[in-house]
Amino acid sequence: MDTLCLRIEFDDRVGIVLDVSRVVSPKNINIISLEVLPNNMYLEIEAISEPQASVLIRELMSIASVKQVATIELMPHEERERQLRAVLDSVSEGIIAVDRQGSITVYNPACEKILQLPAAKAVGRNVADVISANIPMLKSLKSGESYDNREMIINTPRGRHHYLSTGRPIKDQAGRVIGMVAALKDMSQVRDLVYSVTKPSMLTFDDIIYGSDAMERVIALAKRVARSDSTVVIRGESGTGKELFARAIHMESNRRHKPFVPLNCATLPDSLLESELFGYADGAFTGAKKGGKQGLFEFANEGTLFLDEIGELSPHLQAKLLRVLQDGKVRRIGERHETAVNVRVIAATNRNLEEMMARGDFREDLYYRLNVFPIRLPALRERREDIPFLVQHFIKKIAKQQDKDLTGISAEALRILIKHNWVGNVRELENVIERAINLVENGEIKPEHIILDVLDGTPLDKVSHRSKVQESTDVAGLKEVVARAELDALKQALKTHGSARKAAKALGVSHTTVLNKIKRFGLQI
């Protein structure tokens, strides 16, 4: 129905409303709504012709104390309602309100999405019929108490709804509860929010320091598989950088904006590992968190779950992991219902899974489910030409942390590092460099600053001397000599000419080649 809305501005006095009604009523004009505020009256009447409206306005203007009469588009309550509706439509949380009987009065678009039910089928119905009779909103309607961040998992004919709920009672002036309003946040949004706040800085393939052809091939392979959703098993000795590769694969994939969740399967007892992976329901066991807890599979939904030391899983957990990989669903401990998850699994191990499988310690079906795309990281002793690059990187990184001004490492000290066996791989090399930087006062790292880890019982204070004696009888490999020569020539050219472009010209190579070498060696221009 079309209406005419008027705003009447006046000097406040007793009887102004009565005077206005005396003008309108004799004309048989139906008053639809009336709002009176200090010095302003808002009048909504049924639609009339323009001549009639002009006459009405003139007569209203003739009332004592009336200063102005103007037509308006909306009544104040309509304007407030539209503003509220705009707010409710724009927020990402679901907003639902009920009256004292539990009938739904407010139900915004986000609520439609979370509960998978349009507002037309929800407003006016009892919330117990729309969601469930066992929700904190109805309990708080009776008790008048607020609640915060309650995890809700509700199964309805429309599907399974998983959200966090926060509720507040609506009270009248006397303090009586006359309704309830609750905010619902979809659990996927909660996961994204938690991850955006807590996620560590993610590394990419550009952060991997190398110079060898072996690592070049492995990285090219990893980049190809990163673009798919295939399950990956990263094999390699301890300290070769398996988690670094897993993070780089995640950042190269389409899941890069979703969670990367690492878990070391060797660090937790079996029962705790199960609850961490799969979560648990409310009251599942003594000491369980009230309301239950989601597992890492749920938290990593649409992202990547990195399972380090996969060979340490017990047969029981191997079976549960296999089921998730096959069905794409997880079931919390103590819960009957399953939750669909879309998670890419990257596993890693330094154990021989084939031998474990032959002994019956690792399930054959899980092995083939995981081993879709195997990647083997070479040990550091298999790619010794990477050592100069890694050494320069660690010197730059650790010297900055310790606020020391180092010029680098001597040729003699670097040769000791190149010839070492590196049982602990890159992690061991980093420890040795940090140890050396702690010992050096200024200048460069020298042989006397190198203290190597040994596993044959030799005292640490004897290792440096022994390494130098060994070095005198050993001949460095050709690749190591070339890497050292490249480093020395590059450092000298940069020092002499002061820029990468001039150094490139002096060395007879392209500017891009010099920039790549600077990055590989971790040098500063």
Side-chain angles (χ1 to χ4, degrees):
M1 180 178 67
D2 292 333
T3 61
L4 175 65
C5 298
L6 301 173
R7 181 176 66 84
I8 305 170
E9 185 181 352
F10 58 88
D11 291 327
D12 198 14
R13 66 174 176 82
V14 176
I16 186 69
V17 176
L18 179 60
D19 289 346
V20 169
S21 65
R22 283 174 176 168
V23 170
V24 177
S25 295
K27 301 182 184 299
N28 292 321
I29 298 174
N30 185 31
I31 298 177
I32 298 170
S33 65
L34 177 69
E35 292 184 56
V36 182
L37 300 174
N39 301 112
N40 281 281
M41 184 185 306
Y42 296 90
L43 183 67
E44 183 181 13
I45 60 175
E46 62 185 0
I48 56 177
S49 66
E50 285 190 17
Q52 288 177 305
S54 298
V55 171
L56 177 63
I57 290 172
R58 279 199 307 271
E59 292 185 14
L60 290 172
M61 283 290 296
S62 68
I63 297 173
S65 301
V66 171
K67 299 166 63 177
Q68 185 179 9
V69 178
T71 58
I72 56 176
E73 293 293 326
L74 296 171
M75 293 290 283
H77 72 273
E78 293 177 313
E79 190 170 346
R80 290 193 298 270
E81 185 176 335
R82 290 196 179 189
Q83 290 173 345
L84 178 61
R85 176 54 58 186
V87 171
L88 292 174
D89 289 351
S90 65
V91 296
S92 60
E93 291 184 332
I95 305 295
I96 184 170
V98 298
D99 60 21
R100 70 180 70 202
Q101 283 78 38
S103 295
I104 298 173
T105 57
V106 175
Y107 188 93
N108 74 338
C111 227
E112 293 180 308
K113 185 177 180 181
I114 293 170
L115 298 177
Q116 301 171 31
L117 186 71
K121 294 184 178 181
V123 175
R125 293 176 59 192
N126 195 282
V127 70
D129 299 327
V130 173
I131 305 178
S132 168
N134 187 31
I135 55 174
M137 190 178 201
L138 289 175
K139 295 175 183 177
S140 294
L141 189 61
K142 295 179 180 179
S143 67
E145 296 179 352
S146 302
Y147 63 90
D148 293 298
N149 297 322
R150 296 276 184 88
E151 184 180 5
M152 303 300 301
I153 302 176
I154 305 295
N155 292 286
T156 71
R158 301 183 304 278
R160 192 168 187 264
H161 315 304
H162 190 188
Y163 57 88
L164 284 185
S165 176
T166 295
R168 296 289 183 269
I170 304 170
K171 298 182 180 181
D172 62 15
Q173 292 181 340
R176 294 184 295 263
V177 177
I178 59 173
M180 195 77 190
V181 61
L184 315 181
K185 183 173 281 294
D186 190 88
M187 211 60 193
S188 62
Q189 291 181 321
V190 176
R191 284 192 292 265
D192 290 345
L193 177 61
V194 171
Y195 183 67
S196 68
V197 172
T198 62
K199 69 178 180 181
S201 58
M202 293 300 293
L203 302 174
T204 68
F205 286 112
D206 291 337
D207 297 303
I208 298 175
I209 307 299
Y210 69 97
S212 63
D213 293 339
M215 285 298 286
E216 185 86 48
R217 289 191 295 270
V218 172
I219 288 176
L221 190 67
K223 283 183 175 180
R224 289 197 193 105
V225 71
R227 302 185 191 103
S228 73
D229 277 337
S230 297
T231 305
V232 176
V233 175
I234 303 175
R235 311 283 288 269
E237 296 179 5
S238 178
T240 50
K242 295 186 287 295
E243 182 170 341
L244 172 60
F245 260 78
R247 290 180 182 274
I249 290 171
H250 172 76
M251 290 302 291
E252 191 81 8
S253 73
N254 294 328
R255 299 173 180 261
R256 67 179 68 91
H257 300 300
K258 294 296 181 178
F260 174 88
V261 183
L263 178 66
N264 191 318
C265 301
T267 59
L268 299 174
D270 198 50
S271 58
L272 184 56
L273 184 59
E274 182 176 9
S275 66
E276 282 294 308
L277 279 173
F278 304 104
Y280 53 80
D282 186 11
F285 50 83
T286 303
K289 178 183 175 184
K290 184 174 177 59
K293 176 186 174 183
Q294 68 170 342
L296 294 182
F297 267 106
E298 289 183 67
F299 182 71
N301 191 39
E302 298 184 358
T304 302
L305 179 61
F306 174 56
L307 299 177
D308 200 4
E309 305 293 353
I310 192 71
E312 304 299 325
L313 281 184
S314 68
H316 168 65
L317 290 181
Q318 288 180 33
K320 292 197 70 171
L321 175 60
L322 176 64
R323 182 171 178 81
V324 176
L325 293 175
Q326 287 176 333
D327 301 339
K329 296 179 180 179
V330 293
R331 180 182 297 166
R332 295 186 182 186
I333 299 171
E335 197 169 80
R336 296 168 57 187
H337 302 284
E338 293 183 325
T339 300
V341 291
N342 174 14
V343 177
R344 183 186 197 173
V345 172
I346 300 178
T349 184
N350 59 5
R351 301 184 65 178
N352 190 318
L353 295 181
E354 291 76 18
E355 289 183 1
M356 292 180 65
M357 194 165 53
R359 294 194 307 266
D361 295 332
F362 200 85
R363 294 179 64 110
E364 184 176 351
D365 44 8
L366 178 59
Y367 172 85
Y368 288 111
R369 179 66 66 171
L370 287 171
N371 203 43
V372 176
F373 205 104
I375 295 177
R376 179 185 175 275
L377 300 186
L380 190 55
R381 61 184 171 276
E382 299 173 18
R383 50 184 180 99
R384 295 181 186 273
E385 58 269 41
D386 286 341
I387 292 175
F389 298 97
L390 291 165
V391 167
Q392 288 296 324
H393 169 73
F394 290 140
I395 289 175
K396 178 181 175 183
K397 169 186 167 185
I398 300 168
K400 183 178 179 181
Q401 291 172 352
Q402 298 190 10
D403 196 24
K404 284 193 173 183
D405 186 17
L406 299 184
T407 58
I409 185 170
S410 70
E412 295 82 2
L414 184 57
R415 278 195 289 270
I416 292 172
L417 298 179
I418 289 174
K419 297 306 296 183
H420 185 59
N421 200 37
W422 300 115
V423 176
N425 292 290
V426 179
R427 189 181 296 122
E428 182 188 354
L429 175 60
E430 183 173 9
N431 291 343
V432 169
I433 297 300
E434 183 170 355
R435 192 178 297 148
I437 292 174
N438 274 285
L439 294 174
V440 69
E441 292 298 330
N442 51 55
E444 63 181 7
I445 296 174
K446 297 178 180 178
E448 57 265 29
H449 302 132
I450 303 296
I451 301 177
L452 299 171
D453 294 332
V454 289
L455 302 178
D456 59 1
T458 305
L460 284 178
D461 59 354
K462 304 295 184 184
V463 175
S464 173
H465 174 69
R466 189 188 72 158
S467 299
K468 288 189 286 182
V469 172
Q470 177 184 333
E471 165 56 24
S472 66
T473 59
D474 287 339
V475 178
L478 179 59
K479 290 183 178 179
E480 291 80 15
V481 172
V482 170
R484 178 66 215 187
E486 279 189 346
L487 175 59
D488 290 341
L490 185 57
K491 288 171 67 175
Q492 185 60 44
L494 289 171
K495 182 178 179 181
T496 302
H497 300 283
S499 73
R501 193 171 298 279
K502 291 180 180 178
K505 185 176 181 180
L507 293 171
V509 296
S510 69
H511 180 225
T512 303
T513 299
V514 167
L515 290 177
N516 288 336
K517 296 292 184 183
I518 289 172
K519 181 179 178 182
R520 290 279 182 85
F521 280 114
L523 298 177
Q524 290 183 328
I525 301 176

